[in-house]
């Protein structure tokens, strides 16, 4: 009889891809949100995963939150789009406060292993801009981050792309040089 050897399931590759840390259109209490993305090849259920800082877990996801490969999910402090600045949240979290100064956010699997993390600090070149999210520009390690420059559809006025991939901002059209008029010469 041949022995059956199960194929190990690869660890989920879920990434933090966007954060609105300091909303301007609504209060921090209601308007902060976190976007995650499943960059792996299999669905990932985030039930039992934790959000927190580098030092400690501050919130355990208590609901089944299945993320298909290539899918985004928004985790927000409020799931009321009219109060949170216009995002549709897949999950409402509590206990995690994203500091407008130096801070970090960590996503951990139920076994406590670090899945992804981001830290921000003006001194480290990743400073917070009120009313604009931080967006991850690629899915590689190390991650590259930029400050959002355009509002999303239904935004109350803040900038970002919640629930969607980062896209390069539209180029600003170059000003057309003013025509130079030469004085007519008189014969």
């Amino acid at each position: 009889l041949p022995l059956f050897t199960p194929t190990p399931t690869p660890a989920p590759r879920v990434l933090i891809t966007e954060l609105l840390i300091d909303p301007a259109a609504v209060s921090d209490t209601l308007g902060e949100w976190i976007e995650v993305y499943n960059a792996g090849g299999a669905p990932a259920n985030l039930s039992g995963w934790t959000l927190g800082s580098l030092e400690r877990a501050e919130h355990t996801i208590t609901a089944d939150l299945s993320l298909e490969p290539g899918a985004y999910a928004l985790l927000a402090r409020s799931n009321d789009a009219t109060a949170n600045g216009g995002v549709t949240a897949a999950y409402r979290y509590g206990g995690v406060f994203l500091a407008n100064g130096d801070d970090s956010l960590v996503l951990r699997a139920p076994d406590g292993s670090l899945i992804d993390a981001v830290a921000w600090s003006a001194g480290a070149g990743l400073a917070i801009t009120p009313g604009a999210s931080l967006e991850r520009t690629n899915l590689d390690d190390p991650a590259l981050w930029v400050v959002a420059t355009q509002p999303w559809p239904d935004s109350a006025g803040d900038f970002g792309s919640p629930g969607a991939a980062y896209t390069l901002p539209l180029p600003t059209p170059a000003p057309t040089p003013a025509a130079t008029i030469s004085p007519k010469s008189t014969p």
Side-chain angles (χ1 to χ4, degrees):
L1 235 184
L3 292 176
F4 173 72
T5 306
T7 304
T9 304
R13 185 167 181 246
V14 177
L15 303 173
I16 300 166
T17 50
E18 190 171 0
L19 307 157
L20 184 58
I21 296 165
D22 188 10
V26 295
S27 73
D28 282 10
T29 307
L30 298 174
E32 291 181 350
W33 48 262
I34 301 160
E35 177 190 82
V36 294
Y37 173 74
N38 184 352
N45 187 340
L46 303 185
S47 180
W49 291 40
T50 60
L51 297 167
S53 65
L54 290 172
E55 296 79 30
R56 66 191 175 285
E58 296 165 342
H59 179 84
T60 300
I61 297 171
T62 57
D64 280 333
L65 181 57
S66 185
L67 208 56
E68 293 297 317
Y72 291 89
L74 287 171
L75 318 176
R77 302 256 327 257
S78 170
N79 56 3
D80 179 353
T82 59
N84 71 15
V87 296
T88 302
Y91 180 81
R92 186 180 70 77
Y93 65 84
V96 176
F97 299 93
L98 307 173
N100 297 340
D102 300 353
D103 203 359
S104 62
L105 178 69
V106 174
L107 179 64
R108 295 183 192 278
D111 67 2
S113 61
L114 178 80
I115 298 299
D116 198 22
V118 60
W120 54 94
S121 161
L126 190 56
I128 303 309
T129 299
S133 70
L134 291 178
E135 295 185 89
R136 188 178 194 146
T137 62
N138 67 40
L139 304 177
D140 298 326
D141 189 28
L144 300 175
W145 295 83
V146 297
V147 175
T149 59
Q150 298 179 37
W152 65 87
D154 300 323
S155 170
D158 290 324
F159 291 3
S161 60
Y166 168 78
T167 56
L168 289 170
L170 296 173
T172 305
T176 305
T180 306
I181 301 176
S182 315
K184 284 188 172 183
S185 2
T186 52

